[in-house]
Amino acid sequence: MNAQLLRIGDDIVAMHAVVTDEGVTLIDAGLPGDRRILQDALAGAGRTLDDIRGVVLTHGDGDHIGVAEWLRAEHGVPTFVHEADAGRAKGEKAPSSSGGAWKLGPALRFFGTALRRGALRTTHLGEVRTVRDGDVLDLPGAPEIIGMPGHSPGSIAIRIPAVDALFVGDAITTRHVLNGSEDVQIGPFSDAPEQTPESLERLRALPERSIVVGHGPIFRGTAADMLAALKR
């Protein structure tokens, strides 16, 4: 299978597209104002919104569901989310408000970016398709679902060997959005951060060499390398 990984957005808030001969799978959906950057990124790969077969959410927070409802309502693209985060993605449950220590510069960059890219216009999902641990989805790249509770009850890792990548959402961050720390660390705004290290252990033996996070640069190395670097 020919497959390409597109990083869309930036190290503050990113989504990713897995582009294959069979179409496109979108991993997370950025912020509400990200419609144009998504279209431009797909155009650069010779694709359009009509090539997107599904959106798979690493979890249901507002900075990960951005364009998902627009894609569903106007383009018929289904969104997949773990059953334990379905209510979160539909706006029925609130995420944690605890983000940890702040530094003025990084925090202003995060909130400024979020505002410029439409964070105040978040539209929750009207309909989702739920997934469970161990599912392999019939989508381009054959995403494999690995349950990763901690950041939220329904947080997942998404394994896509075709692009040599594990997508871990906000389970970890490689650049803390509120204080700028570039340590590999548990993501802020987590419901149960003490649960995340145990969840991450499920990834240890996997061979993929790109650990893709929602906030911060991609970690280049295996899950075992990431666990060795994780700040405890």
Side-chain angles (χ1 to χ4, degrees):
M1 175 191 296
N2 294 318
Q4 175 186 4
L5 176 61
L6 300 181
R7 185 167 174 83
I8 303 165
D10 53 35
D11 286 349
I12 297 177
V13 179
M15 57 178 154
H16 297 83
V18 176
V19 181
T20 77
D21 297 338
E22 291 75 34
V24 176
T25 296
L26 197 63
I27 306 296
D28 287 326
L31 289 160
D34 287 350
R35 298 179 185 184
R36 175 55 59 188
I37 63 172
L38 171 60
Q39 290 172 304
D40 289 347
L42 291 175
R47 301 303 179 94
T48 71
L49 297 176
D50 291 336
D51 293 305
I52 301 176
R53 302 291 178 256
V55 178
V56 187
L57 300 179
T58 57
H59 61 293
D61 284 352
D63 56 344
H64 291 255
I65 68 170
V67 299
E69 177 61 11
W70 168 65
L71 289 172
R72 185 195 72 83
E74 297 193 20
H75 299 276
V77 178
T79 293
F80 299 80
V81 62
H82 190 280
E83 58 189 1
D85 260 28
R88 199 168 181 132
K90 295 194 296 187
E92 298 166 2
K93 297 180 181 179
S96 170
S97 60
S98 177
W102 291 29
K103 289 185 178 179
L104 183 60
L108 287 176
R109 282 193 292 274
F110 173 59
F111 290 117
T113 294
L115 290 172
R116 285 194 304 274
R117 290 166 57 187
L120 295 181
R121 305 193 304 273
T122 297
T123 302
H124 289 93
L125 274 296
E127 179 182 322
V128 298
R129 298 186 187 182
T130 58
V131 301
R132 295 182 177 181
D133 180 42
D135 286 352
V136 177
L137 305 184
D138 185 18
L139 291 174
E144 177 184 342
I145 306 303
I146 303 170
M148 294 274 292
H151 183 76
S152 68
S155 285
I156 59 173
I158 303 165
R159 182 187 183 204
I160 303 187
V163 290
D164 195 30
L166 286 168
F167 301 82
V168 299
D170 289 0
I172 65 165
T173 182
T174 55
R175 184 174 297 143
H176 196 295
V177 294
L178 297 182
N179 61 41
S181 169
E182 296 183 1
D183 291 327
V184 178
Q185 60 197 292
I186 304 301
F189 303 110
S190 292
D191 288 4
E194 71 285 351
Q195 191 176 9
T196 300
E198 179 180 352
S199 291
L200 289 170
E201 285 292 333
R202 303 194 66 203
L203 309 180
R204 182 178 288 277
L206 298 177
E208 283 73 28
R209 297 195 58 82
S210 293
I211 311 299
V212 185
V213 299
H215 308 282
I218 294 172
F219 180 87
R220 300 298 181 181
T222 65
D225 296 329
M226 178 268 294
L227 285 162
L230 182 64
K231 183 179 179 180
R232 306 276 180 171

